[in-house]
Amino acid sequence: MNKYELLCIFEATTEEEKRNQLLDKFKGIIEVDGEVENVDEWGLRKLAYEINKEKEGYYVLVNFTTNPDTPKELDRNLKIADEVIRHMITRIEE
């Protein structure tokens, strides 16, 4: 089991209910073979540069532990979700 960190940016116009549904879906993917340790919602922040003509985004940081195959599936689902502007999954070295 490895430790990972997911930072994803949702469109600023995404409703809270829809955002929570997506987060629950992503947490469900992680919890199949791992454990979500922490979910830190940073809220609305200004982007460093425009992405798809968006100037703001809703940032969410998720720390989790899982096997090495899960991030691939999580990445695939994040790419499919239209509400996610950008995401990055990094492995935390211990």
Side-chain angles (χ1 to χ4, degrees):
M1 298 284 260
N2 299 322
K3 289 190 174 200
Y4 294 93
E5 183 175 82
L6 163 67
L7 180 65
C8 61
I9 306 172
F10 291 94
E11 292 178 340
T13 57
T14 305
E15 295 178 14
E16 184 177 355
E17 184 178 321
K18 178 67 174 170
R19 191 172 52 242
N20 288 335
Q21 286 176 349
L22 285 169
L23 280 173
D24 289 341
K25 176 183 173 185
F26 301 146
K27 286 192 282 187
I29 293 168
I30 294 167
E31 289 171 344
V32 169
D33 290 324
E35 173 186 356
V36 175
E37 296 171 0
N38 184 32
V39 177
D40 189 10
E41 295 191 25
W42 294 359
L44 268 180
R45 294 188 175 219
K46 187 177 177 195
L47 299 173
Y49 54 89
E50 281 190 22
I51 302 172
N52 300 333
K53 299 184 181 177
E54 297 275 340
K55 294 183 180 183
E56 285 188 324
Y58 192 91
Y59 285 67
V60 178
L61 177 70
V62 181
N63 295 318
F64 60 97
T65 305
T66 189
N67 67 33
D69 295 330
T70 304
K72 294 173 191 167
E73 178 63 20
L74 185 59
D75 184 55
R76 187 182 72 77
N77 279 273
L78 284 160
K79 286 179 182 175
I80 293 171
D82 292 332
E83 293 82 8
V84 177
I85 301 173
R86 288 280 192 278
H87 70 279
M88 182 172 24
I89 303 171
T90 55
R91 182 173 171 220
I92 299 173
E93 297 291 329
E94 294 182 26

PDB file of all heavy atoms in Angstrom, residues 29-58:
ATOM      1  N   ILE A  29     -14.096   4.941  -5.336  1.00  0.00           N
ATOM      2  CA  ILE A  29     -13.076   4.253  -6.136  1.00  0.00           C
ATOM      3  C   ILE A  29     -11.857   3.947  -5.276  1.00  0.00           C
ATOM      4  O   ILE A  29     -11.285   2.860  -5.336  1.00  0.00           O
ATOM      5  CB  ILE A  29     -12.690   5.106  -7.364  1.00  0.00           C
ATOM      6  CG1 ILE A  29     -13.866   5.215  -8.322  1.00  0.00           C
ATOM      7  CG2 ILE A  29     -11.467   4.520  -8.071  1.00  0.00           C
ATOM      8  CD1 ILE A  29     -13.684   6.264  -9.400  1.00  0.00           C
ATOM      9  N   ILE A  30     -11.466   4.910  -4.452  1.00  0.00           N
ATOM     10  CA  ILE A  30     -10.298   4.735  -3.578  1.00  0.00           C
ATOM     11  C   ILE A  30     -10.577   3.665  -2.528  1.00  0.00           C
ATOM     12  O   ILE A  30      -9.728   2.817  -2.245  1.00  0.00           O
ATOM     13  CB  ILE A  30      -9.933   6.073  -2.897  1.00  0.00           C
ATOM     14  CG1 ILE A  30      -9.455   7.081  -3.939  1.00  0.00           C
ATOM     15  CG2 ILE A  30      -8.875   5.861  -1.819  1.00  0.00           C
ATOM     16  CD1 ILE A  30      -9.360   8.511  -3.427  1.00  0.00           C
ATOM     17  N   GLU A  31     -11.772   3.676  -1.948  1.00  0.00           N
ATOM     18  CA  GLU A  31     -12.084   2.797  -0.820  1.00  0.00           C
ATOM     19  C   GLU A  31     -12.301   1.341  -1.215  1.00  0.00           C
ATOM     20  O   GLU A  31     -12.424   0.480  -0.343  1.00  0.00           O
ATOM     21  CB  GLU A  31     -13.290   3.347  -0.062  1.00  0.00           C
ATOM     22  CG  GLU A  31     -12.942   4.619   0.693  1.00  0.00           C
ATOM     23  CD  GLU A  31     -14.138   5.321   1.292  1.00  0.00           C
ATOM     24  OE1 GLU A  31     -15.290   5.015   0.886  1.00  0.00           O
ATOM     25  OE2 GLU A  31     -13.921   6.188   2.148  1.00  0.00           O
ATOM     26  N   VAL A  32     -12.334   1.034  -2.520  1.00  0.00           N
ATOM     27  CA  VAL A  32     -12.434  -0.359  -2.954  1.00  0.00           C
ATOM     28  C   VAL A  32     -11.205  -1.140  -2.482  1.00  0.00           C
ATOM     29  O   VAL A  32     -11.328  -2.251  -1.977  1.00  0.00           O
ATOM     30  CB  VAL A  32     -12.579  -0.441  -4.497  1.00  0.00           C
ATOM     31  CG1 VAL A  32     -12.417  -1.865  -4.980  1.00  0.00           C
ATOM     32  CG2 VAL A  32     -13.917   0.118  -4.927  1.00  0.00           C
ATOM     33  N   ASP A  33     -10.027  -0.560  -2.659  1.00  0.00           N
ATOM     34  CA  ASP A  33      -8.783  -1.231  -2.256  1.00  0.00           C
ATOM     35  C   ASP A  33      -7.946  -0.412  -1.289  1.00  0.00           C
ATOM     36  O   ASP A  33      -6.786  -0.733  -1.055  1.00  0.00           O
ATOM     37  CB  ASP A  33      -7.917  -1.520  -3.493  1.00  0.00           C
ATOM     38  CG  ASP A  33      -8.521  -2.606  -4.358  1.00  0.00           C
ATOM     39  OD1 ASP A  33      -9.101  -3.545  -3.791  1.00  0.00           O
ATOM     40  OD2 ASP A  33      -8.431  -2.503  -5.589  1.00  0.00           O
ATOM     41  N   GLY A  34      -8.492   0.661  -0.735  1.00  0.00           N
ATOM     42  CA  GLY A  34      -7.673   1.514   0.126  1.00  0.00           C
ATOM     43  C   GLY A  34      -8.501   2.267   1.142  1.00  0.00           C
ATOM     44  O   GLY A  34      -9.604   1.865   1.491  1.00  0.00           O
ATOM     45  N   GLU A  35      -7.928   3.384   1.596  1.00  0.00           N
ATOM     46  CA  GLU A  35      -8.561   4.154   2.654  1.00  0.00           C
ATOM     47  C   GLU A  35      -8.306   5.638   2.422  1.00  0.00           C
ATOM     48  O   GLU A  35      -7.180   6.054   2.149  1.00  0.00           O
ATOM     49  CB  GLU A  35      -7.953   3.738   3.993  1.00  0.00           C
ATOM     50  CG  GLU A  35      -8.390   4.552   5.164  1.00  0.00           C
ATOM     51  CD  GLU A  35      -7.649   4.194   6.436  1.00  0.00           C
ATOM     52  OE1 GLU A  35      -6.827   3.253   6.433  1.00  0.00           O
ATOM     53  OE2 GLU A  35      -7.877   4.885   7.428  1.00  0.00           O
ATOM     54  N   VAL A  36      -9.362   6.438   2.536  1.00  0.00           N
ATOM     55  CA  VAL A  36      -9.237   7.895   2.450  1.00  0.00           C
ATOM     56  C   VAL A  36      -8.855   8.399   3.828  1.00  0.00           C
ATOM     57  O   VAL A  36      -9.548   8.147   4.807  1.00  0.00           O
ATOM     58  CB  VAL A  36     -10.558   8.542   1.984  1.00  0.00           C
ATOM     59  CG1 VAL A  36     -10.446  10.055   2.010  1.00  0.00           C
ATOM     60  CG2 VAL A  36     -10.930   8.062   0.599  1.00  0.00           C
ATOM     61  N   GLU A  37      -7.728   9.095   3.920  1.00  0.00           N
ATOM     62  CA  GLU A  37      -7.241   9.581   5.207  1.00  0.00           C
ATOM     63  C   GLU A  37      -7.752  10.975   5.536  1.00  0.00           C
ATOM     64  O   GLU A  37      -8.050  11.272   6.695  1.00  0.00           O
ATOM     65  CB  GLU A  37      -5.709   9.575   5.220  1.00  0.00           C
ATOM     66  CG  GLU A  37      -5.127   8.184   5.098  1.00  0.00           C
ATOM     67  CD  GLU A  37      -3.623   8.192   4.891  1.00  0.00           C
ATOM     68  OE1 GLU A  37      -3.012   9.282   4.842  1.00  0.00           O
ATOM     69  OE2 GLU A  37      -3.063   7.097   4.769  1.00  0.00           O
ATOM     70  N   ASN A  38      -7.821  11.847   4.513  1.00  0.00           N
ATOM     71  CA  ASN A  38      -8.202  13.227   4.776  1.00  0.00           C
ATOM     72  C   ASN A  38      -8.757  13.856   3.502  1.00  0.00           C
ATOM     73  O   ASN A  38      -8.239  13.619   2.418  1.00  0.00           O
ATOM     74  CB  ASN A  38      -6.971  14.015   5.251  1.00  0.00           C
ATOM     75  CG  ASN A  38      -7.313  15.433   5.634  1.00  0.00           C
ATOM     76  OD1 ASN A  38      -8.393  15.718   6.115  1.00  0.00           O
ATOM     77  ND2 ASN A  38      -6.378  16.339   5.394  1.00  0.00           N
ATOM     78  N   VAL A  39      -9.799  14.659   3.643  1.00  0.00           N
ATOM     79  CA  VAL A  39     -10.332  15.450   2.537  1.00  0.00           C
ATOM     80  C   VAL A  39     -10.327  16.905   3.003  1.00  0.00           C
ATOM     81  O   VAL A  39     -10.988  17.251   3.975  1.00  0.00           O
ATOM     82  CB  VAL A  39     -11.768  15.026   2.155  1.00  0.00           C
ATOM     83  CG1 VAL A  39     -12.308  15.916   1.055  1.00  0.00           C
ATOM     84  CG2 VAL A  39     -11.797  13.574   1.738  1.00  0.00           C
ATOM     85  N   ASP A  40      -9.551  17.733   2.331  1.00  0.00           N
ATOM     86  CA  ASP A  40      -9.402  19.131   2.705  1.00  0.00           C
ATOM     87  C   ASP A  40      -9.930  20.000   1.569  1.00  0.00           C
ATOM     88  O   ASP A  40      -9.323  20.059   0.504  1.00  0.00           O
ATOM     89  CB  ASP A  40      -7.923  19.434   2.974  1.00  0.00           C
ATOM     90  CG  ASP A  40      -7.705  20.806   3.585  1.00  0.00           C
ATOM     91  OD1 ASP A  40      -8.698  21.447   3.983  1.00  0.00           O
ATOM     92  OD2 ASP A  40      -6.537  21.230   3.659  1.00  0.00           O
ATOM     93  N   GLU A  41     -11.073  20.648   1.798  1.00  0.00           N
ATOM     94  CA  GLU A  41     -11.654  21.513   0.778  1.00  0.00           C
ATOM     95  C   GLU A  41     -11.109  22.923   0.970  1.00  0.00           C
ATOM     96  O   GLU A  41     -11.369  23.566   1.974  1.00  0.00           O
ATOM     97  CB  GLU A  41     -13.179  21.493   0.866  1.00  0.00           C
ATOM     98  CG  GLU A  41     -13.751  20.123   0.549  1.00  0.00           C
ATOM     99  CD  GLU A  41     -15.249  20.134   0.366  1.00  0.00           C
ATOM    100  OE1 GLU A  41     -15.813  21.192   0.008  1.00  0.00           O
ATOM    101  OE2 GLU A  41     -15.854  19.068   0.572  1.00  0.00           O
ATOM    102  N   TRP A  42     -10.339  23.387  -0.004  1.00  0.00           N
ATOM    103  CA  TRP A  42      -9.729  24.715   0.065  1.00  0.00           C
ATOM    104  C   TRP A  42     -10.701  25.796  -0.366  1.00  0.00           C
ATOM    105  O   TRP A  42     -10.500  26.967  -0.083  1.00  0.00           O
ATOM    106  CB  TRP A  42      -8.482  24.775  -0.800  1.00  0.00           C
ATOM    107  CG  TRP A  42      -7.354  23.914  -0.338  1.00  0.00           C
ATOM    108  CD1 TRP A  42      -7.307  23.113   0.768  1.00  0.00           C
ATOM    109  CD2 TRP A  42      -6.084  23.755  -0.970  1.00  0.00           C
ATOM    110  NE1 TRP A  42      -6.109  22.461   0.851  1.00  0.00           N
ATOM    111  CE2 TRP A  42      -5.337  22.842  -0.205  1.00  0.00           C
ATOM    112  CE3 TRP A  42      -5.527  24.282  -2.117  1.00  0.00           C
ATOM    113  CZ2 TRP A  42      -4.044  22.465  -0.563  1.00  0.00           C
ATOM    114  CZ3 TRP A  42      -4.250  23.902  -2.455  1.00  0.00           C
ATOM    115  CH2 TRP A  42      -3.511  23.009  -1.678  1.00  0.00           C
ATOM    116  N   GLY A  43     -11.712  25.443  -1.105  1.00  0.00           N
ATOM    117  CA  GLY A  43     -12.711  26.410  -1.536  1.00  0.00           C
ATOM    118  C   GLY A  43     -12.341  27.114  -2.835  1.00  0.00           C
ATOM    119  O   GLY A  43     -11.444  26.689  -3.563  1.00  0.00           O
ATOM    120  N   LEU A  44     -13.040  28.211  -3.115  1.00  0.00           N
ATOM    121  CA  LEU A  44     -12.815  28.969  -4.343  1.00  0.00           C
ATOM    122  C   LEU A  44     -11.505  29.737  -4.256  1.00  0.00           C
ATOM    123  O   LEU A  44     -11.251  30.423  -3.280  1.00  0.00           O
ATOM    124  CB  LEU A  44     -13.948  29.967  -4.563  1.00  0.00           C
ATOM    125  CG  LEU A  44     -15.126  29.521  -5.392  1.00  0.00           C
ATOM    126  CD1 LEU A  44     -16.138  30.639  -5.510  1.00  0.00           C
ATOM    127  CD2 LEU A  44     -14.717  29.042  -6.753  1.00  0.00           C
ATOM    128  N   ARG A  45     -10.696  29.601  -5.282  1.00  0.00           N
ATOM    129  CA  ARG A  45      -9.433  30.325  -5.378  1.00  0.00           C
ATOM    130  C   ARG A  45      -9.221  30.778  -6.805  1.00  0.00           C
ATOM    131  O   ARG A  45      -9.694  30.150  -7.746  1.00  0.00           O
ATOM    132  CB  ARG A  45      -8.263  29.441  -4.962  1.00  0.00           C
ATOM    133  CG  ARG A  45      -8.320  29.080  -3.497  1.00  0.00           C
ATOM    134  CD  ARG A  45      -7.077  28.385  -3.085  1.00  0.00           C
ATOM    135  NE  ARG A  45      -7.131  28.170  -1.653  1.00  0.00           N
ATOM    136  CZ  ARG A  45      -6.098  28.299  -0.863  1.00  0.00           C
ATOM    137  NH1 ARG A  45      -4.928  28.618  -1.353  1.00  0.00           N
ATOM    138  NH2 ARG A  45      -6.212  28.088   0.421  1.00  0.00           N
ATOM    139  N   LYS A  46      -8.476  31.849  -6.930  1.00  0.00           N
ATOM    140  CA  LYS A  46      -8.139  32.363  -8.255  1.00  0.00           C
ATOM    141  C   LYS A  46      -7.085  31.449  -8.872  1.00  0.00           C
ATOM    142  O   LYS A  46      -6.125  31.051  -8.211  1.00  0.00           O
ATOM    143  CB  LYS A  46      -7.602  33.780  -8.129  1.00  0.00           C
ATOM    144  CG  LYS A  46      -7.389  34.456  -9.446  1.00  0.00           C
ATOM    145  CD  LYS A  46      -6.934  35.888  -9.265  1.00  0.00           C
ATOM    146  CE  LYS A  46      -6.665  36.478 -10.629  1.00  0.00           C
ATOM    147  NZ  LYS A  46      -5.910  37.707 -10.541  1.00  0.00           N
ATOM    148  N   LEU A  47      -7.260  31.114 -10.151  1.00  0.00           N
ATOM    149  CA  LEU A  47      -6.296  30.284 -10.857  1.00  0.00           C
ATOM    150  C   LEU A  47      -5.084  31.130 -11.246  1.00  0.00           C
ATOM    151  O   LEU A  47      -5.198  32.333 -11.465  1.00  0.00           O
ATOM    152  CB  LEU A  47      -6.926  29.687 -12.114  1.00  0.00           C
ATOM    153  CG  LEU A  47      -8.137  28.778 -11.903  1.00  0.00           C
ATOM    154  CD1 LEU A  47      -8.747  28.409 -13.244  1.00  0.00           C
ATOM    155  CD2 LEU A  47      -7.754  27.539 -11.145  1.00  0.00           C
ATOM    156  N   ALA A  48      -3.931  30.511 -11.351  1.00  0.00           N
ATOM    157  CA  ALA A  48      -2.713  31.217 -11.748  1.00  0.00           C
ATOM    158  C   ALA A  48      -2.824  31.719 -13.184  1.00  0.00           C
ATOM    159  O   ALA A  48      -2.259  32.751 -13.535  1.00  0.00           O
ATOM    160  CB  ALA A  48      -1.497  30.309 -11.604  1.00  0.00           C
ATOM    161  N   TYR A  49      -3.548  30.985 -14.017  1.00  0.00           N
ATOM    162  CA  TYR A  49      -3.788  31.375 -15.399  1.00  0.00           C
ATOM    163  C   TYR A  49      -5.143  30.817 -15.812  1.00  0.00           C
ATOM    164  O   TYR A  49      -5.652  29.885 -15.196  1.00  0.00           O
ATOM    165  CB  TYR A  49      -2.675  30.871 -16.333  1.00  0.00           C
ATOM    166  CG  TYR A  49      -2.430  29.381 -16.249  1.00  0.00           C
ATOM    167  CD1 TYR A  49      -3.128  28.492 -17.055  1.00  0.00           C
ATOM    168  CD2 TYR A  49      -1.510  28.859 -15.342  1.00  0.00           C
ATOM    169  CE1 TYR A  49      -2.917  27.126 -16.964  1.00  0.00           C
ATOM    170  CE2 TYR A  49      -1.293  27.496 -15.244  1.00  0.00           C
ATOM    171  CZ  TYR A  49      -1.997  26.641 -16.064  1.00  0.00           C
ATOM    172  OH  TYR A  49      -1.796  25.287 -15.972  1.00  0.00           O
ATOM    173  N   GLU A  50      -5.715  31.378 -16.838  1.00  0.00           N
ATOM    174  CA  GLU A  50      -7.030  30.924 -17.295  1.00  0.00           C
ATOM    175  C   GLU A  50      -6.963  29.511 -17.859  1.00  0.00           C
ATOM    176  O   GLU A  50      -6.048  29.187 -18.603  1.00  0.00           O
ATOM    177  CB  GLU A  50      -7.569  31.859 -18.377  1.00  0.00           C
ATOM    178  CG  GLU A  50      -8.158  33.131 -17.851  1.00  0.00           C
ATOM    179  CD  GLU A  50      -8.895  33.921 -18.916  1.00  0.00           C
ATOM    180  OE1 GLU A  50      -9.315  33.331 -19.931  1.00  0.00           O
ATOM    181  OE2 GLU A  50      -9.037  35.137 -18.719  1.00  0.00           O
ATOM    182  N   ILE A  51      -7.942  28.717 -17.490  1.00  0.00           N
ATOM    183  CA  ILE A  51      -8.088  27.365 -18.031  1.00  0.00           C
ATOM    184  C   ILE A  51      -9.498  27.288 -18.594  1.00  0.00           C
ATOM    185  O   ILE A  51     -10.461  27.452 -17.855  1.00  0.00           O
ATOM    186  CB  ILE A  51      -7.887  26.290 -16.939  1.00  0.00           C
ATOM    187  CG1 ILE A  51      -6.522  26.416 -16.297  1.00  0.00           C
ATOM    188  CG2 ILE A  51      -8.096  24.907 -17.512  1.00  0.00           C
ATOM    189  CD1 ILE A  51      -6.316  25.516 -15.097  1.00  0.00           C
ATOM    190  N   ASN A  52      -9.613  27.066 -19.885  1.00  0.00           N
ATOM    191  CA  ASN A  52     -10.921  27.016 -20.557  1.00  0.00           C
ATOM    192  C   ASN A  52     -11.758  28.263 -20.250  1.00  0.00           C
ATOM    193  O   ASN A  52     -12.940  28.166 -19.959  1.00  0.00           O
ATOM    194  CB  ASN A  52     -11.702  25.756 -20.156  1.00  0.00           C
ATOM    195  CG  ASN A  52     -10.977  24.492 -20.524  1.00  0.00           C
ATOM    196  OD1 ASN A  52     -10.196  24.468 -21.459  1.00  0.00           O
ATOM    197  ND2 ASN A  52     -11.245  23.432 -19.783  1.00  0.00           N
ATOM    198  N   LYS A  53     -11.117  29.420 -20.263  1.00  0.00           N
ATOM    199  CA  LYS A  53     -11.739  30.723 -19.995  1.00  0.00           C
ATOM    200  C   LYS A  53     -12.280  30.841 -18.578  1.00  0.00           C
ATOM    201  O   LYS A  53     -13.113  31.699 -18.296  1.00  0.00           O
ATOM    202  CB  LYS A  53     -12.822  31.021 -21.029  1.00  0.00           C
ATOM    203  CG  LYS A  53     -12.278  31.095 -22.444  1.00  0.00           C
ATOM    204  CD  LYS A  53     -13.331  31.492 -23.430  1.00  0.00           C
ATOM    205  CE  LYS A  53     -12.705  31.514 -24.823  1.00  0.00           C
ATOM    206  NZ  LYS A  53     -13.676  31.819 -25.852  1.00  0.00           N
ATOM    207  N   GLU A  54     -11.826  30.001 -17.667  1.00  0.00           N
ATOM    208  CA  GLU A  54     -12.197  30.065 -16.256  1.00  0.00           C
ATOM    209  C   GLU A  54     -11.084  30.786 -15.493  1.00  0.00           C
ATOM    210  O   GLU A  54      -9.904  30.513 -15.704  1.00  0.00           O
ATOM    211  CB  GLU A  54     -12.363  28.659 -15.666  1.00  0.00           C
ATOM    212  CG  GLU A  54     -13.468  27.838 -16.269  1.00  0.00           C
ATOM    213  CD  GLU A  54     -14.812  28.113 -15.631  1.00  0.00           C
ATOM    214  OE1 GLU A  54     -14.855  28.639 -14.502  1.00  0.00           O
ATOM    215  OE2 GLU A  54     -15.824  27.789 -16.273  1.00  0.00           O
ATOM    216  N   LYS A  55     -11.472  31.689 -14.586  1.00  0.00           N
ATOM    217  CA  LYS A  55     -10.480  32.427 -13.802  1.00  0.00           C
ATOM    218  C   LYS A  55     -10.422  31.957 -12.357  1.00  0.00           C
ATOM    219  O   LYS A  55      -9.476  32.270 -11.638  1.00  0.00           O
ATOM    220  CB  LYS A  55     -10.782  33.926 -13.840  1.00  0.00           C
ATOM    221  CG  LYS A  55     -10.623  34.509 -15.233  1.00  0.00           C
ATOM    222  CD  LYS A  55     -10.848  35.987 -15.237  1.00  0.00           C
ATOM    223  CE  LYS A  55     -10.674  36.512 -16.660  1.00  0.00           C
ATOM    224  NZ  LYS A  55     -10.812  37.941 -16.729  1.00  0.00           N
ATOM    225  N   GLU A  56     -11.445  31.217 -11.923  1.00  0.00           N
ATOM    226  CA  GLU A  56     -11.493  30.694 -10.564  1.00  0.00           C
ATOM    227  C   GLU A  56     -11.820  29.205 -10.597  1.00  0.00           C
ATOM    228  O   GLU A  56     -12.407  28.707 -11.552  1.00  0.00           O
ATOM    229  CB  GLU A  56     -12.568  31.407  -9.738  1.00  0.00           C
ATOM    230  CG  GLU A  56     -12.204  32.803  -9.311  1.00  0.00           C
ATOM    231  CD  GLU A  56     -13.243  33.353  -8.346  1.00  0.00           C
ATOM    232  OE1 GLU A  56     -14.441  33.064  -8.513  1.00  0.00           O
ATOM    233  OE2 GLU A  56     -12.835  34.069  -7.431  1.00  0.00           O
ATOM    234  N   GLY A  57     -11.441  28.521  -9.523  1.00  0.00           N
ATOM    235  CA  GLY A  57     -11.747  27.108  -9.400  1.00  0.00           C
ATOM    236  C   GLY A  57     -11.929  26.733  -7.947  1.00  0.00           C
ATOM    237  O   GLY A  57     -11.456  27.433  -7.043  1.00  0.00           O
ATOM    238  N   TYR A  58     -12.606  25.618  -7.701  1.00  0.00           N
ATOM    239  CA  TYR A  58     -12.834  25.111  -6.352  1.00  0.00           C
ATOM    240  C   TYR A  58     -11.845  23.976  -6.113  1.00  0.00           C
ATOM    241  O   TYR A  58     -11.910  22.943  -6.760  1.00  0.00           O
ATOM    242  CB  TYR A  58     -14.278  24.619  -6.207  1.00  0.00           C
ATOM    243  CG  TYR A  58     -14.678  24.355  -4.791  1.00  0.00           C
ATOM    244  CD1 TYR A  58     -15.261  25.341  -4.018  1.00  0.00           C
ATOM    245  CD2 TYR A  58     -14.472  23.105  -4.208  1.00  0.00           C
ATOM    246  CE1 TYR A  58     -15.636  25.104  -2.709  1.00  0.00           C
ATOM    247  CE2 TYR A  58     -14.838  22.861  -2.908  1.00  0.00           C
ATOM    248  CZ  TYR A  58     -15.421  23.861  -2.161  1.00  0.00           C
ATOM    249  OH  TYR A  58     -15.778  23.624  -0.856  1.00  0.00           O
TER     250      TYR A  58
END
